[in-house]
Amino acid sequence: MAESARHGATVRRVAVLVVAAMVCVLAGGGIAWAWWRGSGTATAPTTRVSSGTMDVQVVGLGGGLVGPGGTVTLSSLTLTGAVPGAGASEVVTVRNAGSRSATVTATTSRTGTLGTSFTTSASFGAADTGTGCGEGSGGTATVPAGGTATLCVAVVLSATAPSTTQGQAGGVSVALGADLPGTSWTDTGTIVSGPVNAATVPVPTLSCGLLGIGSVTFNWTAVPSATGYRFSYGSGGTTVPVAAGTTSYRVTQTATGATAQVRAERTFAGTTWVSAGSATRTYTVALGLLGVCA
């Protein structure tokens, strides 16, 4: 029994020594080595990548913007001889000829000498009132592949447009930009209007009329659209209003080598436009003498 116990103790001491020797080797008592193994899981992208086409077009306008870029003319959208408060509008049909749903944005601008008194707009789904566009969804729409969307385009001259608006001319330009969500694909096109211009109050023609003792009478041609006239005379440029139905003015104020000029005016609800001045006339008025006019 005692021999067996001693043998067991010897075996345990040998085991401890073997473990201690292995620890010494791995800790730097010789060549250390190890074996690592890693693993992972590959996942598919959340967004599928696929091919397709895109082409934004306009139905029924010449080339229709087939293919990338291009320009078409909406000749029916015109506003000529515009007066304050006047407007024009037309509806076009935009088509997505591509293979995927696209977002189309319409942006308007003025061309030529048209100033800020001319306002332009483009709205998808809006009704054409003839002088403007009703309420729509705005300048951006999502058009499905092969689908269409109506776009109302309008140009309006402000009711308070100043007299300096007279004679401004140009047009309306609508830039169409399309893109496919989630991609960098784009297509563009441009719609241009017919002529857009503001009216001009005609200039009356001034002439010398009856010459009297100490007076000169001036006559001018009637302007059909005039709501009145502004007659200027004398070396100091005195201006007097003259009613629409009157086309003459008698000057009795003494002057030597003075000038006279007339302008027509047209009054609207929110503003008044005045024509350019007529050619001037030179005159002389002296007490007791016959007036002179040239």
Side-chain angles (χ1 to χ4, degrees):
M1 187 67 176
E3 182 63 30
S4 176
R6 284 195 299 271
H7 177 73
T10 301
V11 172
R12 286 194 293 273
R13 284 196 296 272
V14 172
V16 171
L17 290 173
V18 171
V19 172
M22 291 180 65
V23 171
C24 290
V25 171
L26 293 176
I31 298 174
W33 57 272
W35 176 29
W36 286 272
R37 180 174 65 182
S39 63
T41 302
T43 58
T46 57
T47 302
R48 295 182 59 187
V49 179
S50 61
S51 62
T53 60
M54 72 174 305
D55 187 11
V56 60
Q57 302 176 359
V58 175
V59 177
L61 293 183
L65 301 179
V66 175
T71 300
V72 294
T73 300
L74 180 59
S75 57
S76 58
L77 179 61
T78 62
L79 183 60
T80 58
V83 297
S89 54
E90 288 291 336
V91 169
V92 295
T93 300
V94 177
R95 175 171 55 202
N96 177 10
S99 61
R100 296 171 60 182
S101 179
T103 300
V104 182
T105 301
T107 305
T108 62
S109 60
R110 300 178 300 274
T111 62
T113 62
L114 299 183
T116 56
S117 290
F118 281 94
T119 58
T120 61
S121 64
S123 182
F124 284 98
D128 175 12
T129 67
T131 57
C133 296
E135 185 176 355
S137 60
T140 300
T142 299
V143 186
T148 60
T150 58
L151 177 68
C152 184
V153 183
V155 55
V156 176
L157 179 56
S158 170
T160 59
S163 186
T164 52
T165 306
Q166 293 183 73
Q168 292 181 3
V172 175
S173 178
V174 183
L176 296 177
D179 63 84
L180 295 183
T183 75
S184 59
W185 298 352
T186 61
D187 186 26
T188 61
T190 304
I191 303 171
V192 296
S193 73
V196 176
N197 55 64
T200 301
V201 179
V203 180
T205 300
L206 182 66
S207 60
C208 298
L210 181 65
L211 303 177
I213 300 299
S215 70
V216 172
T217 298
F218 295 91
N219 302 320
W220 58 84
T221 55
V223 174
S225 61
T227 55
Y229 301 93
R230 298 181 184 182
F231 181 73
S232 302
Y233 66 96
S235 56
T238 301
T239 300
V240 294
V242 179
T246 302
T247 55
S248 65
Y249 190 85
R250 181 170 177 261
V251 176
T252 58
Q253 182 179 351
T254 301
T256 300
T259 59
Q261 188 178 62
V262 67
R263 291 176 169 82
E265 66 179 19
R266 187 175 178 186
T267 300
F268 303 94
T271 187
T272 297
W273 285 7
V274 181
S275 75
S278 68
T280 59
R281 296 292 179 177
T282 301
Y283 71 95
T284 296
V285 172
L287 294 176
L289 298 176
L290 188 68
V292 177
C293 183

